[in-house]
């Protein structure tokens, strides 16, 4: 089982709030999210659509702050800066100190450029002075590492010429090329076939183990979370409702919402359809934190 | 209700009046709306607004020929003493009527061609859209001039010529919208349920074309007026003594720069109406995009 | 109706479909024979390129077969169909956001089949719409609303109501819950199960999710690259998958309980376990 890492967290989110709207009418969609990720740890943020899991990821990347009619408060400490403020500091770290993998790899890659050019850009964001030949050599090595059979040919291809599974591998290789501290994976492989999705998750797991990169996995799929994560936050309507290690959460779910989610998933071991009330009750209980999973005290060191 | 609407969705999609909210939040769109409402209002009530409603015809005030702008004649008078302000208002009237008639004929033709070609595909698509392309390939003014060359230069023929060059733009626009909409699940659903082609075209797809049609029509009112003015500027449109903005600019140009007002005010009038409808049209386009 | 209720409702007999373009031809479906029993939920499972969508389009008459035959209630079924044949086979699509016209009211969408097929008296059709809405767990007042403000689950219920309005015998369900959240998916699956029992419907249930298959289907056919690799009762497929591909599919499912993980491990290893061994 996982043991608590004494190192200080890579990412610390404190009382993060997000509202959309203007002065007259704003709607809060995140009501004070707090979470942390330690070095090398794989943490999942699991919830249904509209729960606020994807906007949390976007805020951590600094991708939402500059938009009109968005109001952010609280803090996201990462790599010595507060990403909640948005702006240049976090932008400079994207693709370099923090990387992201998306749901549909084929549309995340630029269709008008070959993989080679896009890979070079990624490597340059980590090392401005890198020479072309050196960049190509490193790109090839990175693609070989994710088991792409012919890296040279893949580099000279466009995204649409490769299969979804291949593109996902390319995305993983690119994301980890600069050895980022943190990888944010938003529903990775959801758009792909189940067998390819399983391979993708396995690859992502192996690769981040190797590079020591921490992962924030955003997912609606509890099965994926169980296979991948060390620790889990369950998010419901803009609030974290339960937090524990993967084993704690799946073997001993305490929050009624987590229990309902787990019960609602059809099981391959049989048991027919889950028995659910026609209307879901509102789950508004306070946060349940499992033993040994409290917030770190050294967060702001 | 089986499950509550999520907060994020609720925050992003609220109410039916999103289009109006977006439209009214843009000062330029509102400015356009003010211009359009003012011009349409003045045109409708022209006989009651102007002090010289009889200056529409061939006779004016012989005691004040070619008078410069003054308290009595705000925009001055022309060669035979007709109040220019009056003639501009009645010119607006004619321009707006022309725009409405042209669009009332061109839009339905273009929309039907676009819908049928876009939904049916195959040979129907090929033939209809090649015909459309032929019309689109000829510069509009040249086409209209060619038509007017064959026909008497009357108001009716002028409208006919402009209509002939206007419908293909709607055919092209609606063709593209239809091609995209035909991929939507609701069209497949109507097909599997067994609905007729007419139902699918006019009750399912057409309602989803309205935002594009409405936006383009608003933009086009200004352009039709400009086109009609160009034709009459070239002497191919409306004939005197009917007040027409294009002819007024053309006639006045002979007396530049001494009687500058004869050209400048009708020209500004054209500019203003085109600008007004364009601002509203742009505002509508952005508003419908916000509505999604 | 005098109809042999024990005979299969739908039979696919050596069905094939080849697409050709620029001199290339691709077999999207080859030599598929399946009989669908009346009242069963028959799952069609496969990944992209397996031919499951082509199969659905052939059954719906959206495509014509290149070879073989489809029989519905014992009669051959081609692309050109009578009104009644069209009415009898209905579709529920994967994406509930696009399946409803955003510019027509919910009521208008559900009423359409009633008007098209002249079902019931005109004056009673609005009442039928209300009854259908209630049957799928919504309220009569939803008829006046636009689909825009409704959630995915609500929209999917409306799409189901529209299909039911045709009074169909066979429903083609094309990944009907894969775009929905788990809690919503569970309720829509419950609804589909109830409707099948109450209305005696037959389901052709297309999905990639074998856990859903286990929960709702009676029989399952597994497709790979246009070919039927395995078909049989659901229990049998999970206790003793015959093909390596089926095993691979089950092995790739992310699971949430120890019991599932154990079953999956056994299937991955290729050992046979009796049904319900957990």
């Amino acid at each position: 089982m996982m043991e608590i890492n004494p190192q200080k967290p890579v990412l610390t989110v404190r009382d993060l709030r997000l509202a959309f709207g203007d002065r007259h009418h704003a709607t809060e969609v995140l009501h004070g999210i707090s979470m942390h990720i330690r070095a090398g740890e794989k943490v999942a943020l699991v919830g249904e659509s509209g729960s606020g899991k994807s906007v949390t990821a976007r805020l951590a990347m600094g991708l939402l702050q500059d938009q009109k009619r968005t109001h952010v408060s609280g803090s996201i400490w990462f790599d010595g800066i507060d990403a909640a403020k948005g702006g240049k500091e976090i932008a400079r770290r994207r693709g370099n100190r923090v990387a992201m993998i998306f749901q549909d790899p084929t549309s995340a890659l630029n269709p008008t450029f070959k993989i080679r050019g896009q890979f070079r850009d990624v490597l340059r964001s980590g090392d401005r002075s890198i020479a072309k030949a050196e960049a190509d050599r490193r790109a090839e090595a990175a693609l070989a590492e994710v088991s792409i059979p012919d890296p040279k040919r893949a580099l000279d291809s466009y995204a649409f010429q490769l299969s979804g599974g291949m593109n996902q591998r390319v995305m993983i290789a690119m994301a980890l090329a600069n050895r980022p501290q943190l990888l944010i994976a938003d529903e990775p492989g959801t758009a792909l076939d189940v067998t390819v999705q399983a391979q993708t998750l396995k690859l992502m797991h192996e690769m981040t183990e190797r590079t020591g990169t921490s992962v924030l996995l955003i997912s609606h799929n509890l099965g994926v979370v169980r296979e991948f994560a060390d620790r889990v936050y369950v998010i419901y309507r803009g609030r974290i409702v339960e937090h524990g290690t993967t084993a704690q959460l799946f073997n001993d779910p305490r929050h009624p919402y987590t229990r309902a989610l787990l019960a609602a998933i059809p099981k391959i071991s049989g048991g027919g359809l889950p028995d659910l009330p026609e209307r879901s009750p509102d789950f508004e209980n306070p946060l349940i934190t499992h033993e040994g999973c409290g917030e770190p005290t050294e967060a702001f060191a | 209700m089986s499950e509550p609407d999520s907060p994020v969705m609720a925050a992003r999609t609220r109410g039916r009046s999103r289009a109006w909210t977006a439209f009214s939040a843009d000062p330029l769109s509102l400015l356009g709306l003010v211009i359009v409402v003012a011009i349409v209002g003045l045109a409708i009530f022209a006989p009651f607004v102007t002090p010289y409603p009889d200056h529409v015809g061939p006779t004016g005030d012989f005691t004040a020929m070619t008078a410069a702008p003054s308290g009595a004649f705000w925009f001055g008078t022309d060669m035979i003493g007709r109040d220019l302000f009056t003639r501009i208002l009645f010119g607006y009237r004619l321009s707006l009527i022309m725009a409405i008639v042209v669009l009332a004929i061109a839009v339905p033709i273009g929309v039907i061609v676009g819908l049928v070609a876009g939904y049916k595909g195959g040979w129907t698509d090929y033939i209809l859209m090649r015909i459309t392309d032929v019309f689109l390939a000829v510069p509009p003014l040249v086409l209209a001039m060619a038509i007017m060359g064959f026909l008497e230069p009357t108001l009716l023929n002028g409208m006919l010529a402009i209509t002939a060059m206007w419908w293909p733009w709607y055919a092209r626009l609606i063709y593209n919208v239809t091609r995209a909409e035909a991929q939507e699940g609701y069209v497949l659903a109507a097909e599997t349920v067994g609905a007729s082609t007419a139902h699918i075209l006019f009750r399912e797809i057409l309602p989803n074309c309205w935002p594009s049609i409405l936006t383009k029509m608003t933009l086009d009112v200004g352009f039709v007026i400009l086109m009609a003015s160009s034709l009459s500027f070239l002497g191919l449109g409306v004939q005197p003594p009917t007040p027409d903005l294009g002819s007024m600019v053309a006639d006045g140009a002979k007396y530049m720069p001494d009687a500058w007002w004869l050209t400048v005010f009708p020209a500004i009038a054209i500019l203003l109406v085109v600008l007004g409808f364009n601002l509203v049209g742009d505002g509508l386009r952005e508003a419908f995009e916000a509505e999604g | 109706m005098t109809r042999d209720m024990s005979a299969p409702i739908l039979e696919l007999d050596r069905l094939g479909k080849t697409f050709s373009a620029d001199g290339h031809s691709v077999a999207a479906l080859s030599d598929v024979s399946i009989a669908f029993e009346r009242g069963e939920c028959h799952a069609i499972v496969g990944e992209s390129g397996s031919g499951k969508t082509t199969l659905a389009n052939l059954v719906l008459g959206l495509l014509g077969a290149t070879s073989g035959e489809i029989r519905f209630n014992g009669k051959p079924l081609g692309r050109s169909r009578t009104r009644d044949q069209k009415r009898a086979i209905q579709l529920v699509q994967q994406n509930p956001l696009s399946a409803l016209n955003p510019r027509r009211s919910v009521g208008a969408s559900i009423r359409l089949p009633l008007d098209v097929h002249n079902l019931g008296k005109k004056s009673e059709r609005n009442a039928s719409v209300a009854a259908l809405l209630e049957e799928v767990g919504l309220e009569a007042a939803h008829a006046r609303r636009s689909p825009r403000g409704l959630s995915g689950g609500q929209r999917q219920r409306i799409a189901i109501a529209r299909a039911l309005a045709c009074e169909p015998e066979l429903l083609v369900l094309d990944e009907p819950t894969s775009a929905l959240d788990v809690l919503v998916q569970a309720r829509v699956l419950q609804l589909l199960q109830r409707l099948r029992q109450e209305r005696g419907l037959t389901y052709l249930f297309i999905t990639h999710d074998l856990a859903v298959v286990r929960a709702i289907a009676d029989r399952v056919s597994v497709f790979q690259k246009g070919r039927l690799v395995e078909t049989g009762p659901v229990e049998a497929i999970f206790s003793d998958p015959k093909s390596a591909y089926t095993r691979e599919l089950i092995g790739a499912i992310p699971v949430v309980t120890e019991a599932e993980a154990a079953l999956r491990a056994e299937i991955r290893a290729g050992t046979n376990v009796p049904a319900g061994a957990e």
Side-chain angles (χ1 to χ4, degrees):
Chain A
M1 290 319 309
M2 79 148 272
E3 44 188 42
I4 300 300
N5 195 323
Q7 280 179 283
K8 72 174 182 182
V10 165
L11 179 83
T12 309
V13 178
R14 274 287 156 89
D15 197 30
L16 184 65
R17 286 167 192 274
L18 169 68
F20 293 116
D22 49 33
R23 274 172 302 151
H24 312 292
H25 191 100
T27 311
E28 197 175 75
V29 297
L30 288 183
H31 315 288
I33 299 284
S34 293
M35 60 188 296
H36 64 276
I37 303 173
R38 292 169 196 275
E41 207 181 10
K42 293 173 186 60
V43 172
L45 182 59
V46 64
E48 296 181 285
S49 54
S51 61
K53 59 187 190 303
S54 286
V55 287
T56 304
R58 270 160 213 283
L59 285 174
M61 293 286 284
L63 292 172
L64 216 53
Q65 283 86 334
D66 300 334
Q67 282 183 21
K68 265 193 236 169
R69 296 156 61 85
T70 347
H71 313 278
V72 184
S73 73
S75 60
I76 305 170
W77 290 101
F78 171 74
D79 198 25
I81 59 154
D82 181 5
K85 293 196 170 70
K88 277 184 190 159
E89 285 296 326
I90 182 67
R92 201 177 302 151
R93 286 166 171 80
R94 279 202 294 268
N96 174 16
R97 310 290 289 162
V98 52
M100 197 155 181
I101 290 178
F102 299 94
Q103 185 178 120
D104 181 359
T106 311
S107 64
L109 290 162
N110 189 330
T112 55
F113 294 104
K114 287 181 180 168
I115 305 290
R116 188 181 295 278
Q118 298 184 58
F119 218 120
R120 248 182 229 153
D121 289 345
V122 168
L123 290 166
R124 275 204 194 112
S125 78
D127 175 7
R128 270 159 207 269
S129 59
I130 191 168
K132 259 188 189 179
E134 169 65 8
D136 286 356
R137 195 193 58 73
R138 277 179 54 188
E140 260 175 57
L143 289 186
E145 220 177 343
V146 294
S147 315
I148 284 185
D150 188 350
K152 274 208 175 85
R153 222 181 79 194
L155 282 175
D156 284 318
S157 307
Y158 293 94
F160 61 84
Q161 293 172 317
L162 302 174
S163 69
M166 279 297 170
N167 281 324
Q168 191 67 272
R169 281 165 192 272
V170 171
M171 282 298 294
I172 292 172
M174 273 188 193
L176 298 176
N178 291 321
R179 298 283 186 265
Q181 285 187 305
L182 177 66
L183 175 69
I184 298 180
D186 191 355
E187 303 276 6
T190 305
L192 304 173
D193 280 329
V194 272
T195 50
V196 183
Q197 190 187 358
Q199 289 160 9
T200 301
L201 288 167
K202 191 161 166 261
L203 177 70
M204 212 168 79
H205 199 277
E206 286 169 7
M207 288 297 295
T208 49
E209 287 285 304
R210 210 175 298 169
T211 55
T213 301
S214 308
V215 183
L216 173 59
L217 173 74
I218 308 289
S219 183
H220 71 281
N221 188 329
L222 280 158
V224 165
V225 167
R226 182 180 176 276
E227 316 255 303
F228 188 85
D230 304 323
R231 204 151 50 78
V232 185
Y233 291 89
V234 181
I235 183 170
Y236 170 70
R237 292 203 201 169
R239 284 194 177 83
I240 305 283
V241 294
E242 187 162 2
H243 166 212
T245 64
T246 305
Q248 287 169 333
L249 207 107
F250 281 86
N251 297 340
D252 181 24
R254 301 242 180 99
H255 198 283
Y257 177 67
T258 316
R259 288 184 184 173
L261 278 184
L262 283 168
I265 298 171
K267 314 287 187 298
I268 57 165
S269 51
L273 282 176
D275 193 25
L276 282 182
E278 196 44 38
R279 279 151 214 261
S280 40
D282 281 347
F283 306 100
E284 295 291 358
N285 301 345
L287 164 67
I288 294 173
T289 305
H290 285 262
E291 210 175 305
C293 286
E295 293 299 313
T297 48
E298 73 279 29
F300 297 99
Chain B
M1 296 240 251
S2 56
E3 69 273 349
D5 297 336
S6 66
V8 174
M9 285 212 348
R12 287 184 175 170
T13 60
R14 192 176 27 245
R16 303 189 64 182
S17 57
R18 280 172 61 90
W20 167 248
T21 313
F23 185 88
S24 59
D26 180 14
L28 278 179
S29 309
L30 287 180
L31 174 67
L33 192 64
V34 168
I35 295 174
V36 165
V37 168
I39 289 176
V40 171
L42 285 172
I44 291 174
F45 299 108
F48 312 105
V49 177
T50 72
Y52 316 99
D54 49 336
H55 284 196
V56 179
T59 51
D61 182 350
F62 292 110
T63 60
M65 291 192 291
T66 331
S70 65
F73 304 104
W74 295 348
F75 292 177
T77 63
D78 67 6
M79 313 311 302
I80 51 173
R82 292 180 298 191
D83 177 40
L84 211 59
F85 179 64
T86 304
R87 295 196 52 88
I88 285 177
L89 288 198
F90 280 92
Y92 269 148
R93 233 185 186 194
L94 183 78
S95 299
L96 288 172
I97 290 170
M98 275 188 85
I100 290 167
V101 172
V102 164
L103 292 176
I105 303 169
V107 173
I109 296 174
V111 166
I112 290 171
V113 168
L115 279 173
V116 172
Y119 178 68
K120 279 282 171 190
W123 278 104
T124 321
D125 174 350
Y126 188 80
I127 292 167
L128 286 177
M129 292 324 285
R130 288 305 79 75
I131 295 172
T132 306
D133 287 345
V134 168
F135 276 89
L136 288 175
V138 184
L141 195 57
V142 173
L143 180 64
M145 282 168 66
I147 294 172
M148 292 305 282
F150 283 109
L151 303 171
E152 292 283 305
T154 63
L155 177 63
L156 190 71
N157 287 340
M159 291 196 284
L160 200 74
I162 299 174
T163 305
M165 36 164 287
W166 225 272
W167 70 265
W169 296 98
Y170 284 86
R172 186 46 80 183
L173 172 75
I174 297 309
Y175 173 77
N176 289 331
V177 177
T178 304
R179 295 261 299 194
E181 292 294 326
Q183 303 301 315
E184 291 288 324
Y186 70 83
V187 173
L188 175 61
E191 285 167 354
T192 49
V193 153
S196 65
T197 304
H199 172 93
I200 292 171
L201 289 184
F202 297 110
R203 306 293 297 278
E204 301 283 346
I205 298 177
L206 182 58
N208 288 287
C209 299
W210 275 123
S212 318
I213 297 173
L214 217 63
T215 304
K216 184 159 173 60
M217 276 175 74
T218 313
L219 288 166
D220 279 358
V221 172
F223 291 126
V224 170
I225 291 173
L226 198 62
M227 185 62 60
S229 303
S230 311
L231 279 179
S232 41
F233 179 87
L234 297 167
L236 295 170
V238 184
Q239 299 302 304
T242 316
D244 175 273
L245 299 173
S247 336
M248 285 160 79
V249 175
D251 295 343
K254 296 170 211 155
Y255 306 98
M256 281 293 267
D258 302 326
W260 54 269
W261 57 90
L262 290 180
T263 312
V264 170
F265 286 118
I268 291 176
I270 295 173
L271 184 82
L272 211 57
V273 70
V274 174
L275 179 75
F277 277 102
N278 265 286
L279 289 178
V280 173
D282 275 339
L284 279 180
R285 176 165 52 211
E286 275 165 32
F288 284 130
E289 270 167 19
E291 186 190 42
Chain C
M1 274 186 278
T2 54
R3 194 172 273 163
D4 181 4
M5 299 307 277
S6 65
I9 183 169
L10 179 76
E11 291 160 276
L12 312 180
D13 190 358
R14 304 189 66 103
L15 196 63
K17 175 69 187 173
T18 307
F19 292 103
S20 45
D22 311 328
H24 296 279
S25 62
V26 182
L29 209 62
S30 30
D31 201 26
V32 171
S33 299
I34 310 176
F36 294 81
E37 303 301 331
R38 198 173 298 277
E40 76 170 341
C41 176
H42 193 126
I44 304 289
V45 176
E47 298 187 291
S48 48
S50 63
K52 57 188 201 295
T53 306
T54 305
L55 179 75
N57 288 339
L58 289 168
V59 171
L60 287 162
L62 300 169
L63 289 174
T66 315
S67 61
E69 191 177 62
I70 302 174
R71 283 189 296 277
F72 186 66
N73 287 323
K75 295 198 185 79
L77 195 62
R79 260 207 89 178
S80 61
R81 297 180 178 187
T82 65
R83 266 174 181 263
D84 269 350
Q85 284 175 327
K86 276 188 188 169
R87 189 185 53 70
I89 304 179
Q90 285 303 315
L91 167 72
V92 176
Q93 304 175 41
Q94 174 177 19
N95 183 354
L97 299 185
S98 116
L100 297 175
N101 194 331
R103 292 191 184 266
R104 283 169 65 85
S105 73
V106 165
S109 287
I110 299 178
R111 198 190 148 119
L112 173 64
L114 302 176
D115 290 336
V116 166
H117 297 290
N118 208 16
L119 299 168
K121 282 188 199 148
K122 260 193 179 157
S123 56
E124 288 164 8
R125 284 183 194 155
N126 284 339
S128 308
V129 169
L132 283 162
L133 278 169
E134 278 161 12
E135 190 177 353
V136 297
L138 296 170
E139 288 153 30
H142 278 102
R144 287 192 303 276
R145 292 183 62 176
S146 149
R148 278 174 200 270
L150 302 176
S151 68
Q154 289 170 329
R155 291 187 200 205
Q156 198 59 303
R157 284 167 192 264
I158 292 160
I160 292 168
R162 172 175 57 195
L164 293 181
C166 293
E167 296 172 12
E169 295 173 51
L170 173 74
L171 274 192
V172 175
L173 302 159
D174 184 6
E175 303 264 13
T177 61
S178 67
L180 305 175
D181 281 320
V182 277
L183 288 169
V184 184
Q185 161 173 285
R187 291 202 187 83
V188 171
L189 289 175
Q190 274 176 344
L191 170 70
L192 288 170
Q193 189 82 303
R194 195 191 82 214
L195 291 171
R196 180 160 70 99
Q197 284 155 5
E198 288 173 1
R199 288 181 167 249
L201 293 164
T202 307
Y203 287 167
L204 192 162
F205 196 113
I206 297 173
T207 182
H208 68 277
D209 188 339
L210 278 159
V212 168
V213 170
R214 179 97 205 224
I216 195 172
D218 304 310
R219 286 201 300 147
V220 54
S221 296
V222 181
F223 281 76
Q224 184 189 23
K225 292 175 185 158
R227 291 185 179 278
L228 178 62
V229 295
E230 187 158 4
T231 184
V234 166
E235 296 303 316
I237 299 266
F238 277 91
S239 61
D240 184 15
K242 294 276 184 286
S243 82
Y245 181 66
T246 309
R247 231 177 246 130
E248 192 190 337
L249 276 184
I250 298 175
I253 303 173
V255 298
V256 294
T257 63
E258 299 288 345
E260 287 185 285
L263 172 69
R264 193 181 59 179
E266 279 160 2
I267 286 174
R268 270 183 189 160
T271 55
N272 300 343
V273 281
E278 70 277 359

